[in-house]
Amino acid sequence: MAGKQLALPINRLESFSDGVIAIVITLMIFQIKIPAINENATASDVWNSLFTLLPSLVAYVLSFVMVGVLWVNHHQFFHQLKNIDRKLLWYNLHLLFWMCIIPIPTAFLGLHFQKPEATALYGFTMFMTAVAFAIMREYVHKSEHLLIDHLSNTLRKKLRRKLLMTVGLYFISIFTGYISIYIPISIFVLVIVMYFMPQNIVVEVAE
Amino acid sequence: MAGKQLALPINRLESFSDGVIAIVITLMIFQIKIPAINENATASDVWNSLFTLLPSLVAYVLSFVMVGVLWVNHHQFFHQLKNIDRKLLWYNLHLLFWMCIIPIPTAFLGLHFQKPEATALYGFTMFMTAVAFAIMREYVHKSEHLLIDHLSNTLRKKLRRKLLMTVGLYFISIFTGYISIYIPISIFVLVIVMYFMPQNIVVEVAE
Amino acid sequence: MAGKQLALPINRLESFSDGVIAIVITLMIFQIKIPAINENATASDVWNSLFTLLPSLVAYVLSFVMVGVLWVNHHQFFHQLKNIDRKLLWYNLHLLFWMCIIPIPTAFLGLHFQKPEATALYGFTMFMTAVAFAIMREYVHKSEHLLIDHLSNTLRKKLRRKLLMTVGLYFISIFTGYISIYIPISIFVLVIVMYFMPQNIVVEVAE
Amino acid sequence: MAGKQLALPINRLESFSDGVIAIVITLMIFQIKIPAINENATASDVWNSLFTLLPSLVAYVLSFVMVGVLWVNHHQFFHQLKNIDRKLLWYNLHLLFWMCIIPIPTAFLGLHFQKPEATALYGFTMFMTAVAFAIMREYVHKSEHLLIDHLSNTLRKKLRRKLLMTVGLYFISIFTGYISIYIPISIFVLVIVMYFMPQNIVVEVAE
């Protein structure tokens, strides 16, 4: 009864998480600095200096979609819960922490996309985000009282397998940039495609 | 039943979108940099250097109203829905993406409003925002199960026609700045007036 | 009936406004730039360079309280409504616009508090905020269908009188800085005290 | 009855506070500036310049956890209330004010963590945050009509004792950096541990 008052409602946790995610997704664009343009610059000067923003914009698009995927999965995850406890609160804050970090490697990737250090840093942050998600999911799968009842074992296994695959792919993305930066970048695109494929959506929701 | 758990409630989607829109509309002001003023500057020096902020402020007002119009229409749009699905989620993220981009051309327009490249960039971003909105509306009009029942065909046609007109006007605004920058700026003002006119409001809500 | 779907619920409007106000109140602190400090600076060097932040911090405190007062009054205002319409939506966006502007004169006041131009700019923004609030209140008092029923004429008069007094005080604050900057600053403090005084709170809520 | 309309619902206050806290926790990361890296820098150059961000990142982690602890306690506190009044509104704004300040000493600590002035500033801000929390709690404990009924005296005493201990520890952290910066840093970690220990959680919720 006195414990009742501790019980943070799920929707409060979701809406705080939504707030943080909305800020991360929106603020990354403000890291892109408009280049200074001379008053008597020609049209081609202007377009040239605008084109220098292109890698930063592409990095922004990448992170926008990544965070979008995380947001969709975050909601789906919390819709599978019927209760939350204090530990879950901190596992969620841990996930939000790594999501808050994303703007740093995004800006770095936009400025130095041809350097393997940039993809390594980006891959590492995404790896830690996926790990934080996996820790949270493992905790919930072990704490039966938090999960809704009709989540079958088959579905759980599929969800876990997909998440572990994501963790593994991000891990590989950290180091392979030293062979060619196109490997980690292909991995990032592959993960996005993996979460977009209708096949997988069916797998996740249907039983 | 298992699919039920996926169903993201409409108000959650709206409140996430509201968060992003609130950040975009508020943060644009923080892009305006206060000019450095000498301690022994005269009153006219101070006012002169403050007046250099005027184009940035006007660009801010323009984008504030533009985003305001989008916010009002975003809500009206979601009030016509009774369900959302995963595809709509991504169409909405696509729209939010272009809205997140708006601060970049706004800052650029404030700094270089006399350059046709600035109005072209601004017009292009607004064009893509309108296109993203149109894609989302088209999808919903084709997916009967998402729409509320009492939305008449006449109203649908009117809503589509108005949106297509907006898309067309923004398209023209991209290129006409090279003739005179007053053409795209008139177009931006015209679109705002179009969405403010009481006539249209009646058209949109009454049947 | 079709008009029903337009009806933006009050709490959605409030929560969007809350979002904007939360961002304004929080982001102003990020305009304060930490001074660069030499690695071998003495303790007194460090404190001296930190003390240069003091005017900016005081300006932040002032605006924090000002926005706090506005937030409290904004809620109180919307609690007196039973309906909102599209016009009110735009009157509210107009108010939010001036609140979004507040960070600019706040930063300027923090950097140049001894210049009458800084208090003039600050006073002007607060004046426009109060005017925007007054316009919104006047509109609502004229549109009986928006107001809750048990708002007596005496209370309305008192609310209007207080708001007009605020508008007047801010108007005076714009110009009196040229006599002495202590006049506008006293006015800002006076307005805050006016809204804090328990007397007035009773006046506002009891009938 | 007329007083009813003033009654700001608790969840509105919580959600505004959540908004401010979400912005504070997220925006601190944007204060970390990516170092400029030369195009033909070697791998070790890149890692060296990235390592200069480490103290700022550690300071960010510290403040992220601190604000996380505050967020958890803020919710727990408001779950013990059944009513709020105008005074509490301002006590809460006072607490939010000091939380909004946190990014300043965090950035300063990240840049100059070896200077006692940095830990003093950080400790002072955390001290004021704890004091603001204590003021709010004392007010509520004296105003019986705000508290839920089943909050026993034993629990109240424990909550008060823990909060006072936090206030005391932060007070010590302000000055002890001049002996060794490891003392205040240990104190900051100690406070976090204190709020993480399961023992304490039981104390707080069980009766």
Side-chain angles (χ1 to χ4, degrees):
Chain A
M1 176 207 61
K4 201 103 212 169
Q5 84 209 35
L6 175 82
L8 207 64
I10 297 186
N11 79 315
R12 181 140 295 280
L13 185 59
E14 283 184 312
S15 101
F16 180 75
S17 306
D18 271 12
V20 170
I21 297 171
I23 298 163
V24 167
I25 218 170
T26 316
L27 278 211
M28 283 187 294
I29 198 69
F30 289 91
Q31 287 185 309
I32 300 179
K33 296 284 163 267
I34 310 263
I37 287 170
N38 211 300
E39 275 318 290
N40 37 40
T42 64
S44 83
D45 287 348
V46 175
W47 288 119
N48 280 339
S49 74
L50 283 176
F51 277 130
T52 62
L53 295 183
L54 210 64
S56 292
L57 266 172
V58 171
Y60 177 68
V61 173
L62 181 67
S63 288
F64 189 98
V65 178
M66 289 282 198
V67 175
V69 166
L70 279 161
W71 178 66
V72 172
N73 280 282
H74 190 271
H75 275 293
Q76 218 158 303
F77 175 79
F78 277 96
H79 285 184
Q80 291 164 359
L81 301 186
K82 64 173 186 236
N83 272 318
I84 54 173
D85 61 12
R86 199 162 162 141
K87 264 193 185 166
L88 188 61
L89 220 92
W90 282 105
Y91 285 134
N92 185 55
L93 273 174
H94 178 227
L95 173 62
L96 290 182
F97 172 77
W98 289 106
M99 292 185 74
C100 282
I101 296 288
I102 292 174
I104 298 275
T106 303
F108 196 67
L109 189 67
L111 294 171
H112 306 287
F113 67 99
Q114 75 291 30
K115 287 206 182 301
E117 287 80 14
T119 55
L121 205 66
Y122 194 90
F124 174 72
T125 309
M126 298 319 294
F127 168 70
M128 287 309 297
T129 308
V131 165
F133 216 125
I135 291 173
M136 192 164 78
R137 188 174 282 287
E138 285 308 303
Y139 172 69
V140 154
H141 283 193
K142 274 175 203 147
S143 319
E144 282 302 323
H145 63 290
L146 300 178
L147 270 176
I148 49 172
D149 303 321
H150 55 286
L151 205 69
S152 76
N153 276 323
T154 334
L155 180 53
R156 288 186 202 194
K157 267 183 209 149
K158 278 177 185 162
L159 288 170
R160 180 184 285 136
R161 206 188 304 136
K162 192 178 177 187
L163 194 46
L164 285 183
M165 214 169 100
T166 312
V167 168
L169 282 171
Y170 282 139
F171 186 74
I172 296 169
S173 79
I174 304 176
F175 308 102
T176 45
Y178 286 95
I179 306 169
S180 158
I181 58 146
Y182 294 105
I183 304 177
I185 286 172
S186 309
I187 291 175
F188 302 148
V189 174
L190 177 68
V191 172
I192 290 169
V193 170
M194 223 171 88
Y195 280 94
F196 265 105
M197 264 166 58
Q199 213 88 359
N200 291 33
I201 300 165
V202 175
V203 164
E204 266 180 80
V205 304
E207 197 44 22
Chain B
M1 176 205 61
K4 202 103 212 171
Q5 83 209 37
L6 175 83
L8 206 65
I10 296 186
N11 79 315
R12 181 140 295 279
L13 184 60
E14 282 184 313
S15 101
F16 180 74
S17 306
D18 272 11
V20 170
I21 298 172
I23 298 163
V24 167
I25 218 169
T26 316
L27 278 210
M28 282 187 295
I29 199 68
F30 288 92
Q31 286 185 308
I32 300 179
K33 296 284 163 265
I34 311 265
I37 286 170
N38 212 301
E39 275 319 289
N40 37 40
T42 64
S44 84
D45 288 348
V46 175
W47 288 120
N48 280 339
S49 73
L50 283 176
F51 277 131
T52 61
L53 296 182
L54 210 63
S56 293
L57 265 172
V58 172
Y60 177 67
V61 174
L62 180 67
S63 289
F64 189 98
V65 178
M66 289 281 198
V67 175
V69 165
L70 279 161
W71 178 67
V72 172
N73 281 282
H74 191 271
H75 276 293
Q76 219 158 303
F77 175 79
F78 276 95
H79 286 184
Q80 290 164 0
L81 302 186
K82 64 173 186 235
N83 272 317
I84 53 173
D85 60 12
R86 199 163 162 137
K87 264 194 186 166
L88 188 61
L89 220 93
W90 282 105
Y91 286 135
N92 185 54
L93 273 173
H94 178 227
L95 173 62
L96 290 182
F97 172 77
W98 289 105
M99 291 183 74
C100 282
I101 296 287
I102 292 175
I104 298 276
T106 303
F108 195 68
L109 189 67
L111 293 171
H112 306 287
F113 67 98
Q114 75 291 30
K115 288 206 182 299
E117 286 80 14
T119 55
L121 205 66
Y122 194 91
F124 174 72
T125 311
M126 299 317 294
F127 167 70
M128 287 309 297
T129 308
V131 165
F133 215 126
I135 291 173
M136 191 164 77
R137 188 173 281 288
E138 285 308 303
Y139 173 69
V140 154
H141 283 193
K142 274 176 204 146
S143 319
E144 281 303 324
H145 63 290
L146 301 177
L147 270 176
I148 50 173
D149 303 321
H150 56 284
L151 205 68
S152 76
N153 276 322
T154 333
L155 181 52
R156 288 186 201 196
K157 268 183 208 151
K158 276 175 186 164
L159 289 170
R160 180 182 285 137
R161 206 189 305 137
K162 192 178 176 188
L163 194 46
L164 286 184
M165 213 169 101
T166 312
V167 168
L169 281 171
Y170 281 139
F171 186 74
I172 296 169
S173 79
I174 305 177
F175 308 101
T176 44
Y178 287 93
I179 306 169
S180 157
I181 58 146
Y182 293 106
I183 304 177
I185 286 172
S186 310
I187 290 175
F188 303 147
V189 173
L190 177 69
V191 172
I192 291 169
V193 170
M194 223 171 86
Y195 280 92
F196 265 106
M197 264 166 59
Q199 213 87 0
N200 291 32
I201 301 166
V202 176
V203 163
E204 266 180 80
V205 303
E207 195 45 23
Chain C
M1 177 206 58
K4 202 103 213 169
Q5 84 208 36
L6 174 82
L8 207 65
I10 296 185
N11 79 317
R12 182 140 294 281
L13 184 59
E14 283 184 311
S15 101
F16 180 74
S17 306
D18 271 12
V20 170
I21 297 171
I23 298 164
V24 167
I25 218 169
T26 316
L27 278 211
M28 281 187 295
I29 199 69
F30 289 91
Q31 286 184 309
I32 300 179
K33 296 282 163 267
I34 310 265
I37 285 169
N38 212 303
E39 276 317 290
N40 37 41
T42 64
S44 84
D45 287 349
V46 175
W47 288 120
N48 280 339
S49 75
L50 283 176
F51 277 130
T52 61
L53 296 182
L54 210 64
S56 292
L57 266 172
V58 172
Y60 177 67
V61 174
L62 180 67
S63 289
F64 189 98
V65 178
M66 289 282 198
V67 175
V69 165
L70 280 161
W71 178 66
V72 172
N73 281 282
H74 190 270
H75 276 293
Q76 217 160 303
F77 175 79
F78 276 95
H79 286 183
Q80 290 164 0
L81 301 186
K82 63 174 187 234
N83 272 318
I84 53 174
D85 60 12
R86 199 164 164 137
K87 263 193 186 166
L88 189 61
L89 220 93
W90 282 105
Y91 285 134
N92 185 55
L93 273 173
H94 179 227
L95 172 62
L96 290 182
F97 172 78
W98 289 105
M99 292 184 73
C100 282
I101 295 288
I102 292 174
I104 297 278
T106 303
F108 196 67
L109 190 66
L111 294 171
H112 306 287
F113 68 98
Q114 75 290 32
K115 287 207 182 302
E117 287 80 14
T119 54
L121 206 65
Y122 194 91
F124 174 73
T125 310
M126 298 318 294
F127 167 71
M128 287 309 296
T129 309
V131 165
F133 216 126
I135 291 173
M136 192 164 78
R137 188 173 281 289
E138 286 308 302
Y139 172 69
V140 154
H141 284 193
K142 273 176 204 146
S143 319
E144 281 303 324
H145 64 289
L146 301 177
L147 269 177
I148 51 173
D149 302 322
H150 56 285
L151 205 69
S152 77
N153 276 322
T154 334
L155 181 51
R156 289 185 201 196
K157 268 183 209 151
K158 278 177 185 163
L159 289 170
R160 179 183 285 136
R161 208 189 304 137
K162 192 179 177 187
L163 192 46
L164 286 183
M165 215 169 99
T166 312
V167 169
L169 281 172
Y170 281 139
F171 186 74
I172 296 170
S173 79
I174 304 177
F175 308 102
T176 45
Y178 287 94
I179 306 170
S180 158
I181 58 144
Y182 294 106
I183 304 177
I185 286 171
S186 310
I187 289 175
F188 302 147
V189 174
L190 177 68
V191 172
I192 291 170
V193 170
M194 223 170 88
Y195 280 92
F196 265 105
M197 264 166 59
Q199 214 88 0
N200 291 33
I201 299 165
V202 176
V203 164
E204 266 180 78
V205 303
E207 196 44 21
Chain D
M1 176 208 61
K4 202 104 213 166
Q5 85 208 34
L6 175 81
L8 206 65
I10 297 185
N11 79 315
R12 181 140 294 283
L13 185 58
E14 283 185 311
S15 101
F16 180 74
S17 306
D18 271 12
V20 170
I21 297 171
I23 298 163
V24 167
I25 218 170
T26 315
L27 278 211
M28 282 187 294
I29 199 68
F30 289 91
Q31 286 184 309
I32 300 179
K33 295 284 163 266
I34 311 266
I37 285 169
N38 212 301
E39 275 318 289
N40 37 41
T42 64
S44 83
D45 287 349
V46 175
W47 288 120
N48 280 339
S49 74
L50 282 176
F51 278 130
T52 61
L53 295 183
L54 209 64
S56 292
L57 265 172
V58 172
Y60 177 67
V61 174
L62 181 68
S63 288
F64 189 98
V65 178
M66 289 281 198
V67 175
V69 166
L70 279 161
W71 178 67
V72 173
N73 281 282
H74 190 270
H75 276 293
Q76 218 159 303
F77 175 79
F78 276 96
H79 286 183
Q80 290 164 0
L81 301 186
K82 63 173 187 237
N83 272 317
I84 52 174
D85 60 12
R86 198 162 164 139
K87 264 193 184 166
L88 189 62
L89 219 92
W90 282 104
Y91 285 134
N92 185 55
L93 273 173
H94 179 227
L95 173 61
L96 290 181
F97 172 77
W98 289 106
M99 291 185 75
C100 282
I101 296 289
I102 292 174
I104 297 277
T106 303
F108 196 67
L109 189 68
L111 294 171
H112 306 287
F113 67 99
Q114 75 290 31
K115 286 206 183 303
E117 287 79 13
T119 55
L121 204 66
Y122 194 91
F124 174 72
T125 310
M126 298 318 294
F127 168 70
M128 287 310 296
T129 308
V131 165
F133 215 126
I135 291 174
M136 192 164 77
R137 188 173 282 288
E138 285 308 302
Y139 173 70
V140 154
H141 284 193
K142 272 176 205 147
S143 319
E144 281 303 323
H145 63 290
L146 300 177
L147 270 176
I148 50 172
D149 303 321
H150 55 286
L151 206 69
S152 76
N153 277 322
T154 333
L155 180 52
R156 288 186 202 195
K157 267 183 210 151
K158 278 177 185 161
L159 289 170
R160 180 184 284 135
R161 206 188 306 137
K162 192 179 177 187
L163 193 46
L164 286 183
M165 215 169 100
T166 312
V167 169
L169 281 172
Y170 282 139
F171 186 73
I172 295 169
S173 79
I174 304 177
F175 308 102
T176 44
Y178 286 93
I179 305 169
S180 158
I181 58 144
Y182 294 105
I183 304 177
I185 285 172
S186 310
I187 290 175
F188 302 148
V189 174
L190 177 69
V191 172
I192 290 170
V193 171
M194 222 171 88
Y195 281 92
F196 265 104
M197 264 166 59
Q199 212 87 359
N200 291 32
I201 300 164
V202 176
V203 163
E204 266 180 79
V205 303
E207 197 44 23

